Amino acid sequence: MDRELYGREAVLEPSGLAARLIGLTPHAFAGVRYEHGDDPPVTVFTGGRGMGKTALLKQIRNAYRRGTPLALLDCAHVEEPAEHGPGWSPVTGALAELAVQLSPRVLSAKPVEFPRLALGLAAVASISWSQEDDERARRDLQRLGPVLSTVDESRGAASTWVGKVLAKLAATVADGAAPLAGLLAEATAETLLEDVFGRYQRRSEGWYGDYRSAGGNGKLGLRQIAVDFSQGGGRRADAEGFLVGALVEDLRRAYVGLTRLGTRRGRPVILLDNAHLPLGRRLVEPVLRDRAGGRRDQVVVIASSRDRDHEGLRRAARLRLPEVAHRAPCPRGTDVTSGVLAVELTPLSAAQTRSLFDRHDPAGRTPPELPGGVLRLTGGRPLGVALLAQVVGGTPERDRGALTPGALLDLAVEVREDSPAVPVAETLLDLLLPALRPEEAAALTVLAAAHDEESARALARTRLRAASVEGDVALRLRDALRADGWAAGTARPDGAEAAGAGGRAGAAPSYFVTDPLLRVLLLHRLRFHDGDAPAYAAWRAVHETLLAHYGPRPAPYRLRQELALGRTDGAVTALRETFAGPDVNGWLDRLLFVTSAPFPRDPHRFGDDPRRAVALGRDPGAVGELAGLDEGTTALHQSVRRLLHAVWLLTDPLALPDDDVVARMAHELRELSGRHLTGSLPLWDAATHWPRDIRAWRAPSSPPGSQDGA
């Protein structure tokens, strides 16, 4: 999605949020007035998996990387060096990577130098060196080379200074005893100042005079920062925070030094992906604290977070993506986190989805409802919409007219030109759940059929005994989903507890896996992963287990499981027998609840859905089920049967709306309205409002005409 923005114009237009923060237009690098003056907020894009946070950060990088110093760091993937000493941490590794990315020349400006950061990283790297293990010291020193090369490329890349540091190391600990971190840090810094730093760069040592207990003496500050780093805990956090400040100060000096005044345009940019992780917080919080304390810098920090309720965003100014297109106010309060602007990424719109499909199917061979169906299935996640649109482009034109969202999941797609095609559903699922281990993914595939924690634990005890005898694997996976930004394990809605015993169920069932797209993909894997059609052994075993869990009574939860197994007679009979009751809204809710069951479809099926023939009255069903019924009851039974199949088809996220079926649904509801002795109004309202809901890609409202289903 790099060539077109699809809803991200608010950030990347010439007058968008990024331009107003950085002071430059994307690509052309024309000057733009800063919106926030000398106090830019830390901007955090929030949204779940697949909402395009990473893609947006990469677009910002591509738009600005030649115009201003810029670095992009994924806080989930900071590579840990092999055989590193205790002087390395994710924070120091991240700071070194940021400095290397920020240093190259851009436009007509000189490369950015990082002498303060280089000194600090060298000091903390030395904390465990000893004469007996000078090889580890050599490795740690050589890893500093790229950062030191930002100070002086020729001297930093040379190895002579490494030998001199090792010589001082030997002199400092000649007796082979355990080293004193502070003394080694000072000896290392002295060598760097003498052999790598130039005359003006040596003044950067004074920065560490402001460190705790340094009293204005830079050498003492470097000693103390190494000692604190070696102690771990809160002391290490203080040391790491000061090193973050060193990076920011080096960037600031690059913009305000006397010899550089006026030579740089715009501001430097640090992009932090997955900043909700602990590393992201350790990198961002020192910047926020310094700014809250009145220190000003030129750095634009733009981050992403899957957790919109993260503690680090507690007092953030919150706006939705379209709202920041022209103005993004972020008033600073007394709380440190008030310096954060949290921008919630919004789903793609219907028009943006249609535009994506038109790009891959310019001749318009697909059904006109397909983009809307994909939008409903994916919830507007750019990742899902873009991938499924790409699948359309790879489908032969002769087959595109029969495509449905479910059919797209059954196909394969070439994600990369140099790789073979891969299954669409599996690829999308792997992209949405990259952190799960294979055994966890296999267990979650089983648990996706569960409604709640209780039924999930019942499934785990029966189907996943090897993983957890007591079913605790369900709770572990619930916590793993929540940690990854997916809501999971919600309790049943009010009244639904009774539904399992025959009471009224709400129209919207609760689920163990609450996200609709994630649940659909997991159920797709459950049905098709084994490739054992037409037996579908895993699918049948899981749903039979849930059927037994809910007992023999024809309650809504049991009837829903029967539909998932392809058995509709029980649901039709139960709905017919309870139709005459006084609670018509409750009857409609039970209809919606039961028909929320996943349809046990076959893979690679093109053409009409088998439910369509039943809904339109073309398949009257088995004669045996009507034996012994009088004419009026038979007519009611068949009407309920047609209605159930119509609603089941029209609310299926893997199917497409069918005008004939919509019309038949409305007809059946009106017919039933005339049959009911006292509750005709809700049925009549459903006949009016449910077709509108379906055509607007909403769940049928409950009660009919309310906004509950929107």
Side-chain angles (χ1 to χ4, degrees), residues 563-606:
L563 253 65
L565 289 163
R567 308 169 195 165
T568 62
D569 294 351
V572 173
T573 299
L575 288 168
R576 184 202 74 214
E577 291 176 346
T578 57
F579 173 72
D583 185 7
V584 179
N585 279 321
W587 187 87
L588 290 171
D589 279 351
R590 286 192 291 277
L591 170 67
L592 293 176
F593 183 91
V594 170
T595 55
S596 68
F599 178 61
R601 64 188 186 89
D602 298 328
H604 305 292
R605 183 186 181 95
F606 289 85

Side-chain angles (χ1 to χ4, degrees), residues 523-536:
L523 291 175
H524 185 282
R525 173 183 281 180
L526 177 65
R527 186 158 179 82
F528 302 127
H529 189 63
D530 292 339
D532 63 345
Y536 303 114

Side-chain angles (χ1 to χ4, degrees), residues 221-463:
L222 285 165
R223 280 192 183 192
Q224 189 62 50
I225 203 169
V227 171
D228 287 355
F229 194 93
S230 67
Q231 290 180 354
R235 291 298 191 197
R236 172 170 289 192
D238 291 343
E240 290 177 335
F242 202 81
L243 292 175
V244 173
L247 173 84
V248 173
E249 179 66 11
D250 282 333
L251 282 169
R252 190 186 73 83
R253 294 279 182 163
Y255 277 75
V256 302
L258 293 178
T259 61
R260 301 179 180 91
L261 188 60
T263 63
R264 297 184 183 273
R265 303 171 62 209
R267 287 172 170 154
V269 182
I270 294 178
L271 305 171
L272 299 176
D273 201 7
N274 291 307
H276 57 280
L277 297 176
L279 174 58
R281 191 162 183 173
R282 289 181 207 153
L283 293 172
V284 171
E285 283 192 352
V287 178
L288 290 173
R289 284 197 301 268
D290 285 346
R291 290 178 178 178
R295 179 175 292 168
R296 295 293 176 254
D297 60 74
Q298 296 289 315
V299 183
V300 173
V301 179
I302 302 178
S304 73
S305 171
R306 285 201 304 275
D307 185 358
R308 70 179 306 275
D309 298 319
H310 193 279
E311 176 65 16
L313 304 177
R314 62 184 180 273
R315 294 290 183 269
R318 295 183 180 269
L319 295 172
R320 300 178 79 243
L321 183 64
E323 298 171 332
V324 303
H326 306 291
R327 188 170 175 268
C330 185
R332 182 179 291 281
T334 56
D335 192 285
V336 170
T337 60
S338 66
V340 176
L341 172 65
V343 180
E344 182 180 355
L345 297 187
T346 48
L348 298 185
S349 68
Q352 290 155 358
T353 302
R354 166 62 68 184
S355 177
L356 251 175
F357 273 74
D358 288 344
R359 178 172 140 193
H360 291 279
D361 181 37
R365 303 289 186 184
T366 58
E369 301 87 2
L370 186 61
V374 168
L375 183 65
R376 174 177 65 176
L377 171 65
T378 62
R381 282 190 181 87
L383 175 69
V385 174
L387 183 64
L388 295 181
Q390 185 180 346
V391 176
V392 168
T395 304
E397 289 195 2
R398 65 179 181 276
D399 296 332
R400 293 182 187 179
L403 287 176
T404 63
L408 291 176
L409 294 183
D410 295 339
L411 299 176
V413 61
E414 290 186 4
V415 179
R416 296 178 53 182
E417 294 181 358
D418 58 348
S419 301
V422 291
V424 172
E426 286 295 306
T427 300
L428 187 52
L429 188 56
D430 290 343
L431 290 171
L432 293 175
L433 292 175
L436 281 191
R437 299 190 300 271
E439 62 273 17
E440 292 176 325
L444 190 59
T445 299
V446 172
L447 300 179
H451 299 291
D452 49 27
E453 290 180 14
E454 178 191 349
S455 56
R457 296 191 73 178
L459 272 178
R461 286 191 294 268
T462 306
R463 312 303 317 172

Side-chain angles (χ1 to χ4, degrees), residues 91 148 160 170 214 216 237 370 382 397 434 453 461 602 613 631 677 697:
V91 173
L148 289 170
T160 53
L370 186 61
E397 289 195 2
E453 290 180 14
R461 286 191 294 268
D602 298 328
E631 182 178 353
L677 297 178
W697 302 101

